[in-house]
Amino acid sequence: MDLRTAIQLGVIGLTFFMLINASALLVLAERKIMGFMQQRFGPYLVGPHGLLQPLADILKLLMKEELRPKGADKWLFTLAPILSITAAFAAFSTVPWGAETTFFGLLDQPVKLGVADVNVGVLVVFAITSMGVYGIVLAGWSSNSKYSLFGGLRASAQMISYELSYATALAAVILLAGSMSLREVVDAQAGTWLGVLPRWYVFLQPVGFIIYMIAGVAETNRAPFDFPEAEQELVAGYNTEYSSVRFALFPQAEYINMATMSAVATDLYLGGWHGPFLPAEYGWIWFLAKVGFILFAYIWVRWTVPRYRYDQLMTFGWKWLFPASVLNLLVTAALVLYFNA
Amino acid sequence: MPETLLFYLLAGLAISASALVIGQRNPMYSVLLLIASFGALAGLYIQLDAPFVAVAQIIIYAGAIMVLFLFVVMLLNAPQEDAAPWDRTHQLRQPGVLRFGTLLAALLIVQLVWALGRAFGVDAPVASRAGGNVSSVRELGRVLFTDHMFAFEATSVLILVAMLGAVVLARREDEQ
């Protein structure tokens, strides 16, 4: 194995490692930010300022007994959390997170920061995230419990409804960039307008960005759209009957999905690793900063906005969000055609 | 050689999963096996150097249509879709239903034989016959909206009709 292959494998391993850590850090960040918003400290006892709380949580969950209801479907009950976490990790496989780099002249040929570069990368991310719903639906069905079943039903209906708007918002960006490779979409956003404003697609696609973010919150089942596990109505929704590690995989998949959603939003709308002040070699710092900002917004929204009603969710998705995204796509297509002709 | 091995692996998975779909009593397992079959088909498309078709297959069939199937199966929550062996008056045991099913099965076999018979005459890869690169989305779009315009439009009208029919059927209860 030559140096280049080793470094490429190292980059892939690093991506995986970052995703695992992202889920742990997001749990802590969520609780800390929630505490701040509710005027308390949040977790504070484990480690300095409660920084080791995620480790304690993981240890606690590992020690718990694994329970399976008597009437549950043995195979699907085990398969569901595995499907969830696999889809969550796999979805990140075509998301690039840094410019091509030679590691300060260490290599002759530059290495791309990211797992894989596919020419239909945007669609691959979308395809795999759309498979993630099966984990939740199967968990709901196989538990043989009414609360879980309702959680699973809600998840499937919600995902279908918001996937359409999500995909249509993506299509508008693909039209602008003229490519379905995420790396090429990011590189199309390099540079500035008039020397000041960065050429990010968020300025060309403000409506698309808002639609993407709303649909993204619904796709990852976060509040105010967390109907599959609405605590006040469904106990814990699809994961009511789960315990121990099997349970832990569901929230972990959710947090990794959040990270993926934010990373894709950064690549599509916020110029990825392009930004002022830093040389291209350090572009990944910009990338992490932007992803962190979007993730903060995710948590911010969760602890600010109350949950919708289920019929409001459906009405909003089909009667407002979807028409808006189709209109956005049509206008974008017309303008691209006009300015390119 | 690994490519041939992968082909037989994916093809075997697709065929066995499809066969098992019919063999299941529980509709939930049928749906899941169908998803596995679609996944294997997507793998075959990638082998044919058509990643866009593969991804579209996953997004549309596995990601959207099968979620709807699953939704309906869960909503009905029927443990068994077949008529019970003792139930001689079940709807599915009516002679008319059985004859219609046999007719459809015979039609499907004729179609399969015809399609496979045509496939034997093909010696060149699809990409070179189409005169372009199948893996290019641009080329795919151009062909779809020029050469195959009629088929494309006819299909969309068909889907529209089906959609209108569904809305009419769903609406009927309201008016009573």
Side-chain angles (χ1 to χ4, degrees), chain A residues 27-307:
Chain A
V27 176
L28 183 69
E30 180 129 66
R31 293 178 65 182
K32 276 286 185 190
I33 294 169
M34 160 177 61
F36 173 73
M37 286 180 178
Q38 297 170 350
Q39 301 197 331
R40 38 188 195 86
F41 287 115
Y44 210 86
L45 289 179
V46 190
H49 289 260
L51 273 176
L52 297 178
Q53 185 67 40
L55 277 179
D57 287 345
I58 293 164
L59 265 180
K60 182 197 81 174
L61 281 165
L62 283 175
M63 300 292 176
K64 293 238 172 178
E65 184 186 356
E66 275 197 78
L67 297 170
R68 195 180 68 226
K70 209 174 175 187
D73 189 307
K74 199 163 72 179
W75 295 107
L76 295 185
F77 191 78
T78 313
L79 185 68
I82 299 173
L83 270 183
S84 264
I85 198 78
T86 312
F89 276 120
F92 207 88
S93 58
T94 57
V95 180
W97 48 268
E100 290 185 343
T101 174
T102 58
F103 288 97
F104 312 104
L106 190 65
L107 299 167
D108 312 327
Q109 294 281 321
V111 164
K112 293 168 179 172
L113 291 180
V115 175
D117 191 21
V118 190
N119 64 357
V120 286
V122 183
L123 294 181
V124 171
V125 175
F126 180 63
I128 298 176
T129 25
S130 70
M131 297 298 286
V133 67
Y134 286 116
I136 295 176
V137 172
L138 289 182
W141 184 81
S142 64
S143 300
N144 200 15
S145 136
K146 58 190 172 214
Y147 300 118
S148 306
L149 185 67
F150 267 100
L153 272 176
R154 285 179 173 195
S156 51
Q158 176 176 335
M159 295 274 198
I160 284 279
S161 307
Y162 280 79
E163 241 162 44
L164 278 174
S165 320
Y166 181 71
T168 322
L170 284 184
V173 175
I174 294 172
L175 277 181
L176 275 181
S179 167
M180 286 203 235
S181 154
L182 274 166
R183 192 167 286 278
E184 281 174 31
V185 172
V186 173
D187 284 334
Q189 301 174 66
T192 52
W193 283 301
L194 307 170
V196 196
L197 197 63
R199 299 174 68 99
W200 297 349
Y201 283 151
V202 65
F203 300 114
L204 293 176
Q205 285 282 319
V207 182
F209 181 64
I210 293 168
I211 292 169
Y212 178 93
M213 288 314 292
I214 295 176
V217 171
E219 283 276 299
T220 46
N221 299 319
R222 296 275 301 176
F225 299 128
D226 58 342
F227 291 93
E229 51 175 314
E231 292 90 353
Q232 290 83 352
E233 307 157 37
L234 298 180
V235 189
Y238 64 92
N239 58 31
T240 305
E241 306 293 344
Y242 279 87
S243 59
S244 186
V245 178
R246 284 192 194 135
F247 165 76
L249 290 182
F250 284 117
Q252 193 184 7
E254 183 186 310
Y255 284 113
I256 292 173
N257 279 332
M258 266 169 74
T260 309
M261 205 61 94
S262 310
V264 174
T266 306
D267 278 345
L268 289 180
Y269 293 100
L270 298 181
W273 49 85
H274 294 297
F277 313 126
L278 286 172
E281 295 270 307
Y282 294 101
W284 52 271
I285 296 178
W286 265 117
F287 184 83
L288 285 182
K290 290 169 186 172
V291 170
F293 173 74
I294 296 179
L295 284 171
F296 173 72
Y298 253 104
I299 297 171
W300 188 6
V301 166
R302 172 165 179 185
W303 299 109
T304 312
V305 187
R307 187 183 299 127

Side-chain angles (χ1 to χ4, degrees), chain B residues 149-167:
Chain B
M149 189 69 187
F150 177 74
F152 181 77
E153 289 294 331
T155 316
S156 53
V157 169
L158 197 69
I159 293 172
L160 189 67
V161 169
M163 206 163 75
L164 284 176
V167 170

